[in-house]
Amino acid sequence: MLQALHNDAVGKLIIRLSVGVLMLLHGIAKLLNPGSLSWIGDQVASHGLPVFLAYGVLIGEVVAPLMAIVGWQTRIAGLLMVGNMVVAIFLAHTGELFALGRSGGWALELQGMFLFSALALVFLGSGRLAVRPD
């Protein structure tokens, strides 16, 4: 019975689908609400960076999650999502980095989960259940 639960390919698929679908929903929300890209552009500009870098969020929250979901270049997809989350934390959440939320958990639980799940994909790859296993 316990031996049947040892399935690395299914575990990798679950991680790919979890981080990919949940991150993709954030990207879709940004596509449906272009004002959010303007806000990100303002954040980028306030740090002295070129505003066009704000569109990189679409790579990290649309393109990379789709890559992870289908299992194509999953390690690269994970790296793109890690980069996206590092930038998001730097631009919008540095004040919460060492803070606790109202329920006592880390204030950046969601961002941390995205960051570390994507980092796991960098090291694990896609597994066998992918368009292009790596």
Side-chain angles (χ1 to χ4, degrees):
M1 165 90 177
L2 290 179
Q3 188 63 21
L5 296 177
H6 284 263
N7 192 327
D8 290 349
V10 172
K12 291 175 184 179
L13 175 65
I14 291 169
I15 294 172
R16 279 189 7 241
L17 293 177
S18 297
V19 71
V21 169
L22 294 174
M23 188 85 95
L24 179 62
L25 293 173
H26 284 267
I28 290 170
K30 286 176 180 69
L31 287 173
L32 295 176
N33 180 12
S36 63
L37 288 175
S38 297
W39 181 84
I40 294 168
D42 292 343
Q43 291 295 314
V44 168
S46 75
H47 286 83
L49 299 169
V51 175
F52 76 86
L53 292 177
Y55 291 97
V57 73
L58 298 178
I59 294 170
E61 292 186 9
V62 176
V63 176
L66 288 172
M67 291 168 63
I69 289 166
V70 300
W72 179 74
Q73 299 292 326
T74 300
R75 293 176 196 273
I76 293 170
L79 194 59
L80 291 169
M81 289 186 284
V82 165
N84 184 77
M85 292 314 304
V86 168
V87 170
I89 290 169
F90 172 71
L91 290 179
H93 300 287
T94 51
E96 300 167 278
L97 201 53
F98 299 105
L100 297 178
R102 288 185 295 229
S103 63
W106 186 30
L108 299 180
E109 283 177 344
L110 180 63
Q111 294 83 357
M113 189 62 74
F114 283 151
L115 173 66
F116 296 117
S117 296
L119 187 60
L121 290 179
V122 172
F123 290 103
L124 293 172
S126 65
R128 292 187 323 266
L129 302 175
V131 168
R132 185 172 177 205
D134 59 4

